[in-house]
Amino acid sequence: MPKISSDTLWELASAEVQSREDGTGGEEDGGVDPVSLNERTVFFIGNKAGGKTTILLRCLDRDEPPKPTLALEYTFGRRARGHNTPKDIAHLWELGGGTSLSDLVQIPITAQNVRSLSVVLVLDLSKPNALWGTMERLLQTTRTQVEKASSKPQRTVESKAGSKQQAQNRPLMVLPKDHPDRELINPFPVPLLIIGSKFDIFQDFDSEKRKVICKTLRFISHYYAASLIFTSSKSESLMSKTKSLFTQLGFGTEKGKSMSSDLSKPLIIPAGMDSLSQIGSPPTTDVDIGTLHAKNPLDLWKKVFEVVFPPENTSDHHRELKDPAKDPQYSEPQIDSMRAQKDTV
């Protein structure tokens, strides 16, 4: 492979900056402008040790053992669209530490890439008690940063202001204009894929518990206009379907037609293909909805879910891990020993 000189890299970087400042090109019919046409950003978030790295490596066809994510990590993938054409590039960020390092979302989500950004939320199905809290905290933090980045002025011509608004409305476009739920949901501001990992463990759960988790995740996904898939690193078939959804986000490939809403099987529901009428009401066998005092439908589903799966008390854990240097997964005995000696001086 020929070595790429620093001059070439500088030339590429200079051309990229110039194209953004000139505002060359534009978006038509809700498409993506030339700046992001073959460069997209995908941000992976989710439970700590929930399988994010494994899924990412498998989607990139990289045969290497996954390692614990060190706070925030970056890699990239490339895909050729055709013969003698530029390769599409997917910038891939992964947030480690579950919710404890969620403040780092400001690094991968910027005003420059927010229009070509997608988010992948990986939820560990084998740990349902941490599921809602993880989802809620990470999506809230990510949404806030996306909206902040979207509101920042961009150094391009004014004609791009409309394209930014189109990009913010992309998720709403997955629902047909006559969809009955169009006014009842709150689409995430960028495309969102929710992956339920470790399905091989989840499938051995009690059927009623599986039903609660499945219906709840269907509601969450539909509410945020997200795609939903259950997967397992031990199933080549499920990983293949997961990779298909990932390549839609990372490389703009055509949407697949696979769909499964059977609660006894792994769920695969593309964005816009579900409805509140099909999902039904929250499973409340042992719960009196009238006593829950929910503020809105999302809050109602949360309260019902947490009756069945009481949330873990992770506040102390978050305070302890606010400094990544104190996280045991990043331990370096020699360095830690020297640091301890310095701290005692």
Side-chain angles (χ1 to χ4, degrees):
M1 180 178 175
K3 183 178 180 181
I4 300 177
S5 69
S6 58
D7 289 343
T8 304
L9 289 175
W10 277 112
E11 289 169 3
L12 290 171
S14 176
E16 173 71 8
V17 171
Q18 189 63 46
S19 68
R20 293 186 181 191
E21 291 182 345
D22 291 345
T24 54
E27 295 180 31
E28 296 180 5
D29 301 325
V32 184
D33 68 4
V35 172
S36 59
L37 178 63
N38 49 3
E39 285 194 34
R40 292 176 170 84
T41 300
V42 183
F43 184 31
F44 280 75
I45 55 178
N47 293 91
K48 180 178 180 179
K52 298 185 296 296
T53 305
T54 299
I55 292 171
L56 181 53
L57 291 174
R58 295 285 286 275
C59 287
L60 294 175
D61 294 323
R62 293 183 185 173
D63 186 15
E64 56 187 81
K67 299 177 182 178
T69 302
L70 298 174
L72 181 68
E73 295 193 357
Y74 169 84
T75 187
F76 68 93
R78 293 189 295 177
R79 179 187 176 97
R81 276 184 286 170
H83 186 61
N84 288 334
T85 59
K87 288 186 176 180
D88 291 334
I89 300 174
H91 300 283
L92 309 171
W93 293 86
E94 181 186 348
L95 179 68
T99 60
S100 64
L101 302 174
S102 57
D103 291 346
L104 295 178
V105 299
Q106 59 187 309
I107 296 174
I109 303 175
T110 66
Q112 284 68 42
N113 68 17
V114 71
R115 287 179 295 129
S116 60
L117 173 74
S118 299
V119 173
V120 176
L121 172 64
V122 180
L123 297 174
D124 188 342
L125 296 176
S126 70
K127 298 177 180 177
N129 297 82
L131 190 149
W132 192 285
T134 298
M135 177 276 300
E136 186 174 55
R137 172 76 181 274
L138 289 176
L139 289 187
Q140 283 178 350
T141 306
T142 303
R143 179 190 282 269
T144 299
Q145 179 59 24
V146 167
E147 293 173 348
K148 180 179 178 182
S150 300
S151 66
K152 287 184 178 179
Q154 299 190 28
R155 290 176 297 177
T156 57
V157 293
E158 292 183 5
S159 61
K160 281 203 171 182
S163 68
K164 183 178 73 173
Q165 186 63 43
Q166 285 179 348
Q168 291 180 48
N169 291 336
R170 279 181 300 170
L172 195 58
M173 294 169 62
V174 302
L175 291 183
K177 291 183 178 180
D178 58 349
H179 195 291
D181 302 338
R182 193 174 174 87
E183 302 300 323
L184 303 174
I185 64 174
N186 182 22
F188 204 67
V190 296
L192 174 65
L193 168 61
I194 298 177
I195 300 177
S197 64
K198 304 186 182 181
F199 178 79
D200 52 302
I201 300 175
F202 170 77
Q203 64 183 349
D204 294 329
F205 280 20
D206 172 76
S207 61
E208 286 303 311
K209 290 185 175 181
R210 289 203 314 270
K211 180 180 178 181
V212 172
I213 295 171
C214 287
K215 291 192 68 174
T216 300
L217 285 179
R218 281 185 66 182
F219 173 80
I220 290 171
S221 299
H222 184 59
Y223 184 77
Y224 288 120
S227 295
L228 173 67
I229 186 170
F230 286 3
T231 194
S232 167
S233 60
K234 298 181 180 179
S235 168
E236 288 298 328
S237 174
L238 290 178
M239 287 307 303
S240 176
K241 292 180 172 66
T242 303
K243 180 181 177 181
S244 176
L245 287 173
F246 162 77
T247 54
Q248 291 173 29
L249 299 179
F251 301 106
T253 58
E254 291 186 10
K255 294 183 179 180
K257 297 181 180 180
S258 296
M259 177 165 174
S260 173
S261 57
D262 186 340
L263 301 185
S264 64
K265 299 177 181 178
L267 296 180
I268 305 174
I269 306 177
M273 299 296 289
D274 215 340
S275 69
L276 295 176
S277 61
Q278 291 175 323
I279 296 170
S281 58
T284 56
T285 336
D286 303 318
V287 185
D288 180 2
I289 291 184
T291 65
L292 296 179
H293 306 293
K295 296 176 290 185
N296 51 54
L298 185 66
D299 191 43
L300 174 62
W301 279 84
K302 176 183 179 179
K303 291 181 182 299
V304 172
F305 185 83
E306 292 185 343
V307 167
V308 183
F309 300 105
E312 297 176 339
N313 184 8
T314 57
S315 56
D316 294 336
H317 185 62
H318 288 325
R319 283 196 294 270
E320 178 187 349
L321 298 185
K322 198 68 176 178
D323 181 0
K326 297 178 181 179
D327 192 325
Q329 73 167 314
Y330 309 137
S331 63
E332 293 284 351
Q334 292 182 332
I335 296 176
D336 293 344
S337 175
M338 294 175 65
R339 178 58 189 259
Q341 291 179 23
K342 182 179 179 180
D343 289 343
T344 57
V345 174

